[in-house]
């Protein structure tokens, strides 16, 4: 919708927008018109979410109206200015033209999602394949017939014959097994065909990092007219949406996912199992005992979808409650609604991971992708493609494979035997590396472990190709092996037999090696690691980490692949979508994001917008504090922050603050360990008692599940004890103080407005640990840093050895050029900006912000890194007061 001057109008905004909100919406609208990649920055508390909703969804409505108008004026797609005219953008022509072409293809070939038009003929073709393959190996009985009747129950665990496409001859049979599908559609085929026709064009995908941020988005959406005009669906994880009490009780996300898929598999295989039951065996299996009870009634699933679209937009919690009320699964119910939705609200993982997009059936083609909280998008993206397998998991997989192979070796076909043996070769190679076997010359030549020490460790990093060559596994076709693992169902067959064997061993009290976690999760970890090894050599590094506790005779360790390049991953999203919009409160420096995610895009083609804050200058009081109440310099660098004097000086500062600051104070520490150390010091020195005389003290829990209850109690305490009517409590308490941690849940996406955050104290600069091997590899990759040459001539220079000490990390940082140091600094200051942005959430809010460390006020010429103040948001820098001493 545009006004008389041609500028877009936003009638959906629920109240009169501020000027910066109008500017933001205009900029987003323009970005969607242009397409491509855009970055829009608006400080936290400026109504950014509402601006995104009203601009993006208004653009969708406007474009749909334009499309309908074009179709009405040119029903035959002819004439000037109609669809196909050069005056129309490509994406608009595609909407109508592609739809016509797709309809023609469906008439000719049948719908991809619906029933094949000649299903009878296709069934006959499949039968022909079976007949052709039946006599391929004369004189060979089917493995299914070779099983001894006494071992009938083992039959379920035997792999079916397997042939890959390139191994299959012109007259060979198609594999009888079906690919294990991790997705599920509760709709019938007819319903799927109907949904295919109803899929909406110009869909908007909005994603953010946490479920709480997505819930906040839904709450804002409900305040607009778009809540009634748009079909909205929220997607979440099984852990958040599962309502099967038996499954939820498992607690762990991995176990919940495994159990859910297992229940579906049981449902799909139920009919086959009934047919294969031995006559007269007395074993019965009914449909009621298989599958998830929340997915049995297809009609209820359809009612669930209709109910969701009829109601106001629902967040994850609302969907779960509705599913419980109706007695049907909200996880698969919401997934089945994506095709007909106008707006899909989902977490990062579901959108940014290609495997997740494929599983969910997300179609980004010519649609809109909006990524909120995009300040750390590059790191979040590459972290999704990391993979890790522990020594315990490797032992679990290897033991299960050996046991399975020993039992079924004579019954398996040649292809199955070959692939299983290949997997065993790989697990043996990985185990040699971690166990320091004599054959594992990589470790022997690199490090001499001190057997007398209680704990010793060695960390190495290698390129993919070097790792494969060192382990003599470079001749294995990992792509074909992964396809076999996916299609053959070997993962579930092996683990299923292992579980049965373990149960029998327990029943007969047979001693066996204890194995942590399930075999399925261990097998999946191995598959993920093998998939990582198929990446390009320069895309990531392999970390080899070994630990020993010699006195306890325990060993541990892991292999981990660390993805370092996000360019190729992000390009898959950009190439498909019409527009990709990155939104956040602090996106600068944008050049770093551009170089890491879309370096192919020239800077002049990147649309960037930034605006100031809506609060007046006198509502914010940012102060950089260099000294404490006794005059001691605040130095919270890693080597100085643990001194008793430094912790005492910080405590004295808070003792003074609690007497003058009303309501709530939030203190952010660099880590949980340091927060705990400071708290214990205050407790033993009496400082904590002085603080609690004025304010109740709350601490952020390490477990994210407990954060909400602590935050609620903190909020209730503030508004109860600080209320004007609480005259009795006013004499002693004046609110509460919350001890939080940078990078934890309270530092991002949490609203600490008004009395919950009248003062925010940032303790030091939360630099990441320089001993973090993954961080150092990332810094070296960004800096294009050459690998260090190891002094030991017997060690290959293809990998790096890390001692695990901070000094080694600092040496690498000092050797970096500007880019590596800049990245390290940006990580720290982005965390600072996110933390202090929890306060000042609306135009009438006010707060003090204390940056407690001399490095916030020191001379930048004396620093090897950039001055931290230069990385602060402009609206804070403009009002910052540097105080060398405490008054």
């Amino acid at each position: 919708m545009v006004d008389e001057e041609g500028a877009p109008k936003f009638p959906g905004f629920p109240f009169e927008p501020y000027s910066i909100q109008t500017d933001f919406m205009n900029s987003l609208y323009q970005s969607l018109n242009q397409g491509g990649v855009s970055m829009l920055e608006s400080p936290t508390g400026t109504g950014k979410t509402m601006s995104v909703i009203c601009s993006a969804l208004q653009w969708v409505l406007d474009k749909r109206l334009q499309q309908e108008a074009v179709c009405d004026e040119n029903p035959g797609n002819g004439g000037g200015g109609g669809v196909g005219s050069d005056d129309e953008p490509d994406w608009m022509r595609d909407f109508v033209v592609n739809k016509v072409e797709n309809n023609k293809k469906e008439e000719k070939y049948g719908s991809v999602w619906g029933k094949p038009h000649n299903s009878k003929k296709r069934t006959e073709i499949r039968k022909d394949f079976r007949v052709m393959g039946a006599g391929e190996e004369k004189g060979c009985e089917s493995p299914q017939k070779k099983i001894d009747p006494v071992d009938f129950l083992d039959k379920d665990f035997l792999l079916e014959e397997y042939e890959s496409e390139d191994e299959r001859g012109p007259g060979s049979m198609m594999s009888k097994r079906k690919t294990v599908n991790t997705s599920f559609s509760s709709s019938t085929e007819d319903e799927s065909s109907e949904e295919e026709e109803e899929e909406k064009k110009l869909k908007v995908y909005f994603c953010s990092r946490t479920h709480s941020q997505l819930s906040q988005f839904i709450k804002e959406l409900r305040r607009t007219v778009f809540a009634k005009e748009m079909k909205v669906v929220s997607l979440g994880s099984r852990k958040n949406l599962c309502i099967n009490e038996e499954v939820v009780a498992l607690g762990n996300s991995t176990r919940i996912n495994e159990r859910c898929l297992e229940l579906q598999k049981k449902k799909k295989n139920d009919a086959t199992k009934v047919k294969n039951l031995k006559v007269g065996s007395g074993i019965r299996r009914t449909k009621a005992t298989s599958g998830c009870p929340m997915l049995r009634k297809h009609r209820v699933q359809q009612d669930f979808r209709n109910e969701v679209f009829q109601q106001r937009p629902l967040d994850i919690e609302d969907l779960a409650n509705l599913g419980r009320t109706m007695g049907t699964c909200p996880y698969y119910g919401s997934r089945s609604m994506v095709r007909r939705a106008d707006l899909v609200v989902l977490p990062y993982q579901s959108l940014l991971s290609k495997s997740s997009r494929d599983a969910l059936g997300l179609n980004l083609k010519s649609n809109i992708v909006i990524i909120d909280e995009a300040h750390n998008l590059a790191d979040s993206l590459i972290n999704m493609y990391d993979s890790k397998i522990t020594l315990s998991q490797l032992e679990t997989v290897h033991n299960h494979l050996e046991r399975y192979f020993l039992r079924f070796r004579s019954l398996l076909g040649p292809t199955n035997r070959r692939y299983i043996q290949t997997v065993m070769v790989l697990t043996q190679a990985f185990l040699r590396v971690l166990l320091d076997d004599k054959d594992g010359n990589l470790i022997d030549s690199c490090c001499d472990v001190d057997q007398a020490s209680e704990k010793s460790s060695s960390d190495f990093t290698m390129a993919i190709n070097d790792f494969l060559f060192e382990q003599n596994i470079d001749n294995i076709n990992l792509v074909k092996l992964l396809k076999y693992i996916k299609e053959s169902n070997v993962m579930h067959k092996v683990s299923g037999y292992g579980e049965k064997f373990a149960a029998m061993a327990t029943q007969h009290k047979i001693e066996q090696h204890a194995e942590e976690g399930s075999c399925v999760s261990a097998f999946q970890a191995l598959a993920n690691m093998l998939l990582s090894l198929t990446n390009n050599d320069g895309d990531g590094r392999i970390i080899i980490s070994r630990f020993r506790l010699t006195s306890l005779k325990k060993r541990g360790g892991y292999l981990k692949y660390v993805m370092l390049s996000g360019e190729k991953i992000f390009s898959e999203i950009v190439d498909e979508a019409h527009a990709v919009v990155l939104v956040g409160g602090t996106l600068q420096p944008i050049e770093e994001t551009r170089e890491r995610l879309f370096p192919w895009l020239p800077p002049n083609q990147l649309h960037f917008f930034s605006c100031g804050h809506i609060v007046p200058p006198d509502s914010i009081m940012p102060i950089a504090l260099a000294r404490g109440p006794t005059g001691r310099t605040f130095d919270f660098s890693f080597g100085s922050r643990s001194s008793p004097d430094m912790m005492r000086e910080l405590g004295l500062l808070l003792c003074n603050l609690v007497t003058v600051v009303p309501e709530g104070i939030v203190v952010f520490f660099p880590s949980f360990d340091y927060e705990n150390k400071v708290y214990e010091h205050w407790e033993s020195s009496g400082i904590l008692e002085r603080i609690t005389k004025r304010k109740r003290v709350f601490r952020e829990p390490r477990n994210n599940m407990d954060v909400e209850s602590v935050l609620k109690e903190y909020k209730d305490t503030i508004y109860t004890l600080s209320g004007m009517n609480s005259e009795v409590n006013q004499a002693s308490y004046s609110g509460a103080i919350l001890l939080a941690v940078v990078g934890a849940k309270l530092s991002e996406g949490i609203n600490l407005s008004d009395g919950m955050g009248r003062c925010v104290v940032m303790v030091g600069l939360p630099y990441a640990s320089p001993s973090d091997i993954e961080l150092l590899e990332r810094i070296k990759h960004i800096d294009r840093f050459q690998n260090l040459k190891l002094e030991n001539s017997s060690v290959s220079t293809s990998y790096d050895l890390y001692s695990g000490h901070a000094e080694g990390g600092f040496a690498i940082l000092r050797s970096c050029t500007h880019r590596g140091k800049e990245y390290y600094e940006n990580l720290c200051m982005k965390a600072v900006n996110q933390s202090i942005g929890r306060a000042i959430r609306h135009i009438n809010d006010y707060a003090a912000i204390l940056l407690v460390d001399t490095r916030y006020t020191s001379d930048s010429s004396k620093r090897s890194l950039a001055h931290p103040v230069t990385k602060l948001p402009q609206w804070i820098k403009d009002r910052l007061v540097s105080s060398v001493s405490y008054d």
Side-chain angles (χ1 to χ4, degrees), residues 159-225:
L159 286 165
E160 298 184 24
E161 297 176 41
Y162 178 87
E163 286 181 298
S164 61
E165 293 178 0
D166 51 352
E167 294 171 330
R168 189 179 301 129
S172 62
M173 61 174 272
M174 296 285 287
S175 176
K176 290 183 288 183
R177 56 56 210 121
K178 294 182 180 180
T179 301
V180 178
N181 191 357
T182 56
S183 62
F184 179 85
S185 175
S186 59
S187 305
T188 63
E189 291 178 344
D190 291 334
E191 288 169 344
S192 299
S193 178
E194 180 183 351
E195 289 181 5
E196 171 71 13
E197 296 174 1
E198 293 181 357
E199 181 173 8
K200 293 297 181 68
K201 299 294 183 180
L202 271 184
K203 196 188 304 290
V204 176
Y205 294 95
F206 178 90
C207 71
S208 194
R209 295 185 63 185
T210 66
H211 285 295
S212 61
Q213 291 166 344
L214 295 176
S215 294
Q216 182 62 34
F217 177 86
I218 292 294
K219 290 178 182 177
E220 291 293 289
L221 177 62
R222 291 170 183 165
R223 302 170 61 189
T224 71
V225 296

Side-chain angles (χ1 to χ4, degrees), residues 529-549:
M529 175 59 67
L530 297 180
L531 180 62
S532 296
L533 294 178
T534 63
N535 284 312
N536 293 334
D537 190 50
D539 287 347
R541 299 279 287 183
I542 303 293
I543 295 177
I544 305 168
S545 180
R546 297 184 304 129
F547 297 92
R548 287 187 176 186
L549 293 175

Side-chain angles (χ1 to χ4, degrees), residues 352-369:
L352 301 180
S353 169
K354 188 178 188 307
S355 60
S356 296
R357 291 199 304 273
D358 293 342
L360 294 170
L362 304 185
N363 178 21
L364 305 186
K365 183 66 176 178
S366 300
N367 288 324
I368 310 301
V369 174

Side-chain angles (χ1 to χ4, degrees), residues 326-604:
M326 300 184 66
T328 190
C329 178
Y331 174 74
Y332 285 110
S334 59
R335 282 177 52 164
S336 64
M337 298 167 59
V338 170
R339 303 186 64 79
R340 289 185 290 169
D342 302 296
L343 171 62
V344 181
V345 182
L346 68 172
Y348 266 19
Q349 178 74 30
S350 300
L351 180 79
L352 301 180
S353 169
K354 188 178 188 307
S355 60
S356 296
R357 291 199 304 273
D358 293 342
L360 294 170
L362 304 185
N363 178 21
L364 305 186
K365 183 66 176 178
S366 300
N367 288 324
I368 310 301
V369 174
I370 300 176
I371 304 175
D372 195 18
E373 300 294 336
H375 53 281
N376 281 331
L377 176 60
D379 288 337
S380 299
L381 182 64
I382 62 178
N383 287 341
M384 293 177 188
Y385 288 81
D386 290 352
S387 60
K388 177 181 178 180
I389 186 166
T390 65
L391 175 61
S392 174
Q393 289 175 319
L394 280 170
E395 290 174 335
T396 297
V397 173
H398 191 72
N399 291 338
H400 277 68
L401 282 171
E402 279 190 328
R403 190 177 298 134
Y404 183 87
F405 193 68
L406 181 64
R407 169 65 184 85
F408 294 102
R409 179 174 184 172
S410 61
L411 304 175
L412 292 170
T415 305
N416 280 317
R417 284 201 302 270
R418 183 173 71 252
Y419 277 119
I420 291 176
Q421 288 175 314
T422 302
V423 178
M424 293 170 66
V425 168
L426 288 169
T427 56
Q428 286 175 335
F430 296 163
L431 285 169
R432 282 199 302 269
V433 174
L434 298 181
L435 291 174
D436 194 11
D437 190 273
K438 291 182 179 180
D439 294 334
N441 52 22
L442 168 66
I443 300 300
D444 286 336
S445 63
C446 290
C447 181
D448 182 17
V449 178
D450 184 6
Q451 295 294 332
S453 64
E454 279 296 309
K455 180 179 179 180
S456 60
S457 65
S458 304
D459 287 353
F460 305 84
T461 65
M462 300 184 67
I464 294 177
N465 290 345
D466 294 328
F467 177 78
L468 296 176
F469 284 125
E470 289 275 3
Q471 306 311 312
N472 295 319
I473 54 176
D474 55 292
N475 60 335
I476 296 177
N477 189 326
L478 295 178
V479 175
K480 289 179 63 177
L481 180 60
L482 285 165
K483 183 179 180 182
Y484 169 78
I485 292 174
K486 178 182 180 182
E487 294 182 350
S488 68
N489 203 21
V490 64
M491 186 184 305
H492 295 278
K493 294 286 188 179
V494 172
S495 60
Y497 180 73
E499 290 174 2
K500 177 195 171 184
F501 183 89
M504 294 175 58
T506 302
Q507 183 179 359
H508 295 88
K509 299 182 179 179
I510 301 175
E511 185 178 351
Q512 59 175 341
H513 176 69
E515 295 165 346
E516 297 180 7
S518 70
C519 181
V520 174
S521 59
F523 221 127
Q524 187 61 57
L526 176 63
N528 292 338
M529 175 59 67
L530 297 180
L531 180 62
S532 296
L533 294 178
T534 63
N535 284 312
N536 293 334
D537 190 50
D539 287 347
R541 299 279 287 183
I542 303 293
I543 295 177
I544 305 168
S545 180
R546 297 184 304 129
F547 297 92
R548 287 187 176 186
L549 293 175
T550 57
S551 63
L552 299 178
K553 303 299 181 182
K554 288 186 178 181
R555 293 178 175 181
Y558 62 85
L559 295 176
K560 183 170 185 179
Y561 175 80
V562 180
M563 178 67 80
L564 299 175
S565 175
E567 172 186 343
K568 182 173 63 176
I569 302 171
F570 196 69
S571 67
E572 295 174 349
I573 299 174
V574 175
D575 291 344
E576 286 190 41
H578 164 67
V580 178
V581 183
L582 311 186
V583 180
T586 51
L587 296 181
Q588 301 188 62
I590 62 172
E591 186 60 20
E592 177 195 307
T593 302
R594 188 191 69 82
E595 289 181 349
R596 296 185 64 192
L597 292 183
F598 33 91
W600 67 85
L601 185 68
N604 60 354

Side-chain angles (χ1 to χ4, degrees), residues 621-625 653-654 657 661 665-666 759-764 836 847-853 856 880 886:
M621 186 172 65
I623 301 174
L625 197 58
L653 171 64
L654 290 178
L657 288 178
V661 176
I665 299 176
V666 184
C759 179
V760 176
V761 180
M762 175 58 61
V763 179
I836 62 181
I849 299 172
L850 300 186
L851 306 174
V852 184
D853 198 300
Y856 286 108
L880 182 65
Y886 175 87

